[in-house]
Amino acid sequence: MIGFWAFEQLGYVIEKAKQYCFPNYIPLVFRKNCSAQVLKANMRIVGCCEYGLVLYRDRLPKFRNTDPDGTRHMVMNCFDWKKDTKTPKVHPTQKPVPLLERLIEVFTDPGDVVIDPVAGSGTTLLAAENLGRKAYGFEIKKDFCREFHEKIEPCVQQSLFTV
């Protein structure tokens, strides 16, 4: 399981995960090339990272470290987060489709199922679909679901995204 959390939440999430059968974790760092804190840049150090955890039970989760040509490479726990200018903004903490595609490429195989229990804008579902994975998402806020159907689905139909 992969989740995104604020840095301050990581310790709490790790402890709760241990209580609920996920005793192991790998920290992830997502390095942005921009920051929402730019207006405060003269007053303090500007944050440009988001954080996540890969939570797992006993065995290290499968990951793909081989390119299509058979070249092996290391999988690092720090990912570059480039601003997504193609996907309409639907959710305040929306993740870029290219970043989600990279995570899905690393941790799943074509044909696998990706489940997003807090789907928000639906970008994880879109990224999974782009890569040939089955995707299911759940979102309790009807406004986010409506905005996904209004703003992101038309982009898919206009071939702005490959699905």
Side-chain angles (χ1 to χ4, degrees), residues 16-32:
K16 284 295 179 187
K18 287 178 182 176
Q19 286 179 0
Y20 293 98
C21 300
F22 289 99
N24 302 299
Y25 65 92
I26 300 168
L28 301 176
V29 177
F30 303 97
R31 185 177 50 220
K32 296 180 178 184

Side-chain angles (χ1 to χ4, degrees), residues 86-146:
K86 288 171 82 173
T87 312
K89 186 81 168 163
V90 169
H91 193 279
T93 62
Q94 183 168 314
K95 308 302 182 260
V97 171
L99 174 72
L100 296 168
E101 287 175 343
R102 179 69 184 128
L103 291 171
I104 291 167
E105 280 177 332
V106 168
F107 291 104
T108 68
D109 292 319
D112 280 356
V113 176
V114 173
I115 298 173
D116 188 350
V118 286
S121 64
T123 53
T124 301
L125 308 177
L126 176 61
E129 184 78 18
N130 289 347
L131 296 170
R133 276 59 165 183
K134 296 173 189 143
Y136 300 96
F138 308 93
E139 178 56 55
I140 61 171
K141 303 260 178 156
K142 291 179 182 176
D143 289 345
F144 294 138
C145 295
R146 181 183 44 75

Side-chain angles (χ1 to χ4, degrees), residues 52-91:
L53 294 168
V54 176
L55 301 170
Y56 62 100
R57 291 190 173 107
D58 300 325
R59 293 179 299 145
L60 187 66
K62 75 175 177 184
F63 62 94
R64 298 172 67 207
N65 65 341
T66 307
D67 292 331
D69 65 1
T71 308
R72 292 173 88 56
H73 55 85
M74 290 191 298
V75 175
M76 306 290 194
N77 72 331
C78 185
F79 294 82
D80 286 327
W81 173 307
K82 302 232 179 349
K83 197 169 189 175
D84 183 354
T85 57
K86 288 171 82 173
T87 312
K89 186 81 168 163
V90 169
H91 193 279

